[in-house]
């Protein structure tokens, strides 16, 4: 007999999110996952006035802002991932993210002077977290935090926590490509960087793992043979140019994977590998020239689809 399937789809974090429960479960469980994700969206949103991040950005250079403990925790972890990636993952890239977002929208490279100006506003050491007071403070006016590279990961980990609380054995969480496969073995599609139709280029078979893809192909434009996209190298102020087209990570803990995937897209394969080894994370690297490299632990679990 086939399992009963309960699925909930909802927008948040600027993307489509999905939670699927296999088995006979109360629909309220899926509803609780959705409500928690929406709550996190409201705390982490860059745009929503009143979100913790919006208020920190608004009060940059003025005063520390009291934030919810979810926000404090994610900011705290984001600083740690920033350190680990030698600044390649940097949540204070906000002004630069905006600049390139607008540039992508109009398919025009930003003015050099604007890049220099935004570059000046980036700096992890300017984010001051006070644990006792539960506050966050950006030292300089104009500085902005953007949690776009880590928020979905934390939300997916929280979804997993809720599902475990209700002893859901088999489920799939997919928050805009940030995936956690819970329980039985599941095939997770790796999106093709070459095709726009959402067709996976390969499947990875996983069990109780998070799977995350960060791709420089996702949002961007081509000009004079170069690709301009939404993952920014905070050290240069230009879109990452590490030779990676896409990076898929498989491991435990979606938040760590989310941050590291973004960071390693900036760092590139060579500098990224030691970090992955340290965290016990497996990876699929797709280079700009189309070469695919798979770490040892995934060799038997990675299935390329024939065209
Ligand atoms: P996606 O959200 O497309 O799945 P990512 O997890 O890689 O992809 O996050 C990309 C988002 O993270 C960008 O849209 C931007 O908001 C933010 N970002 C871009 N570059 C960086 C960076 N170097 N460090 C931290 N965050 C970044
Ligand atoms: Mg990320």
């Amino acid at each position: 007999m086939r399992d009963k399937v309960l699925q909930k789809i909802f927008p948040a974090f600027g993307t489509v999110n999905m939670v699927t429960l296999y088995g006979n479960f109360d629909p309220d469980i899926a509803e609780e996952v959705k409500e928690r994700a929406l709550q996190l969206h409201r705390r982490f949103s860059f745009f929503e006035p009143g979100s913790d991040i919006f208020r920190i950005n608004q009060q940059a250079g003025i005063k520390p802002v009291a934030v919810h403990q979810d926000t404090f925790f994610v900011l705290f972890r984001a600083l740690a991932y920033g350190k680990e990636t030698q600044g390649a993952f940097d949540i204070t890239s906000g002004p630069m993210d905006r600049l390139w977002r607008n540039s992508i929208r109009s398919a025009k490279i930003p003015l050099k002077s604007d890049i220099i100006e935004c570059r000046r506003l980036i700096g992890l050491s300017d984010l001051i977290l006070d644990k006792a007071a539960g506050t966050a403070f950006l030292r300089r006016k104009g500085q902005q935090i953007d949690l776009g590279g880590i928020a979905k990961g934390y939300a997916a980990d929280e979804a997993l926590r809720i599902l475990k609380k209700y002893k859901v054995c088999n489920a799939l969480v997919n928050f805009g490509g940030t995936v956690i496969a819970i329980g039985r073995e599941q095939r997770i599609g790796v999106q093709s960087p070459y095709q726009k139709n959402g067709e996976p280029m390969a499947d990875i078979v996983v069990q109780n793992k998070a799977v995350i893809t960060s791709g420089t192909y996702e949002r961007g434009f081509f000009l004079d043979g170069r690709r301009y996209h939404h993952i920014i190298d905070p050290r240069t102020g230009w879109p990452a140019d590490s030779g990676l087209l896409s990076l898929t990570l498989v491991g435990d803990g979606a938040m760590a994977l989310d941050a590291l995937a973004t960071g390693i897209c900036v760092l590139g394969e060579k500098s990224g590998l030691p970090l992955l080894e340290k965290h016990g994370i497996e990876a699929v690297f797709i280079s700009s020239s189309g070469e695919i490299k798979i770490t040892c632990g995934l060799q038997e679990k990675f299935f390329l689809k024939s065209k």
Side-chain angles (χ1 to χ4, degrees), residues 13 17-18 34 48 56 95 111 137 143 179 189 197 206 244:
F13 312 110
N17 306 278
M18 195 157 61
K34 172 186 160 184
E48 274 190 33
I56 296 168
L111 293 174
F137 177 51
Q143 289 192 301
V179 173
N197 58 9
V206 292
L244 280 180

Side-chain angles (χ1 to χ4, degrees), residues 88-90 97 101 146 148-149 152 214 218 230-232 258 262:
F89 180 75
D90 189 330
D97 295 333
R101 225 168 252 230
D146 185 324
K152 283 180 284 171
S214 256
E218 264 174 53
H230 77 303
I231 297 179
I232 308 302
D258 199 358
T262 307

Side-chain angles (χ1 to χ4, degrees), residues 13-15 46 78 82 85 87-94 96-98 101 122 145-153 175-178 212-216 218-219 229-235 238-240 257-266:
F13 312 110
T15 185
F46 183 90
T85 57
F89 180 75
D90 189 330
I91 52 164
T92 68
S93 303
M96 200 61 101
D97 295 333
R98 290 312 113 195
R101 225 168 252 230
I122 298 179
I145 288 169
D146 185 324
L147 293 184
I150 190 170
K152 283 180 284 171
F175 288 175
T178 294
I212 279 154
T213 300
S214 256
T216 61
E218 264 174 53
R219 272 175 278 151
H229 57 83
H230 77 303
I231 297 179
I232 308 302
D233 187 337
R235 303 164 301 184
W238 288 79
L257 260 59
D258 199 358
L260 290 172
T262 307
I264 293 171
C265 269
V266 173

Side-chain angles (χ1 to χ4, degrees), residues 4-286:
K4 246 183 112 171
V5 177
L6 180 70
Q7 190 168 61
K8 193 143 229 146
I9 302 176
F10 57 94
F13 312 110
T15 185
V16 179
N17 306 278
M18 195 157 61
V19 55
T20 312
L21 278 57
Y22 302 101
N24 213 351
F25 289 103
D26 187 339
D28 285 353
I29 301 173
E31 185 61 24
E32 189 173 324
V33 170
K34 172 186 160 184
E35 286 306 322
R36 176 71 174 134
L38 293 179
Q39 182 182 55
L40 293 174
H41 168 88
R42 288 192 297 272
R43 287 182 182 146
F44 298 159
S45 167
F46 183 90
F47 298 103
E48 274 190 33
S51 85
D52 284 349
I53 298 306
F54 187 92
R55 290 184 306 115
I56 296 168
N57 294 345
Q58 204 179 33
Q59 298 298 325
I62 303 171
K63 62 171 197 285
V65 167
V67 295
H68 192 275
Q69 59 192 34
D70 285 322
T71 314
F72 194 92
F73 177 69
V74 173
L75 291 172
F76 184 78
R77 293 304 307 154
L79 284 185
Y81 298 125
K83 256 203 190 119
E84 268 198 272
T85 57
Q86 298 136 46
F89 180 75
D90 189 330
I91 52 164
T92 68
S93 303
M96 200 61 101
D97 295 333
R98 290 312 113 195
L99 185 68
W100 281 101
R101 225 168 252 230
N102 291 334
S103 142
I104 288 166
R105 211 167 285 139
S106 58
K108 280 200 194 98
I109 295 171
L111 293 174
K112 282 232 166 68
S113 55
D114 286 343
I115 295 179
I116 293 168
E117 175 63 20
C118 289
R119 173 70 201 78
R120 209 181 51 77
L121 290 170
I122 298 179
L124 283 174
S125 59
D126 289 320
L127 174 59
I128 312 296
L129 300 178
D130 183 335
K131 191 153 202 278
T135 59
F137 177 51
L138 283 168
R139 264 200 257 247
R140 293 180 285 141
K141 250 197 149 69
Q143 289 192 301
Q144 288 178 331
I145 288 169
D146 185 324
L147 293 184
I150 190 170
K152 283 180 284 171
Y154 179 68
D157 285 339
E158 280 298 287
L160 173 63
R161 187 181 58 75
I162 292 167
L163 295 172
K164 274 189 176 157
K165 180 175 80 177
Y166 291 107
K167 306 205 166 27
V168 173
C169 316
N170 299 304
L172 186 72
V173 174
N174 184 347
F175 288 175
T178 294
V179 173
I180 303 183
I182 299 155
R184 67 181 179 207
E185 211 171 66
Q186 298 185 55
R187 292 179 90 90
I188 311 296
V190 178
Q191 202 195 314
S192 166
Y194 317 109
Q195 290 167 344
K196 285 238 180 279
N197 58 9
E199 269 293 294
M201 58 163 285
D203 283 338
I204 301 180
V205 175
V206 292
Q207 205 171 0
N208 289 316
K209 292 280 176 210
V211 182
I212 279 154
T213 300
S214 256
T216 61
Y217 59 88
E218 264 174 53
R219 272 175 278 151
F221 63 97
F222 276 104
L223 192 73
D224 298 331
R226 204 196 139 169
R227 173 112 185 119
Y228 298 90
H229 57 83
H230 77 303
I231 297 179
I232 308 302
D233 187 337
R235 303 164 301 184
T236 63
W238 288 79
D241 191 17
S242 66
L244 280 180
L245 192 58
S246 126
L247 171 65
T248 300
L249 300 184
V250 180
D252 305 311
M255 177 174 63
L257 260 59
D258 199 358
L260 290 172
T262 307
I264 293 171
C265 269
V266 173
L267 284 176
E269 183 191 329
K270 198 159 164 263
S271 311
L273 270 174
L275 273 175
L276 299 181
E277 264 162 38
K278 184 181 143 201
H279 287 271
I281 297 171
E282 302 294 339
V284 179
F285 296 93
I286 303 179

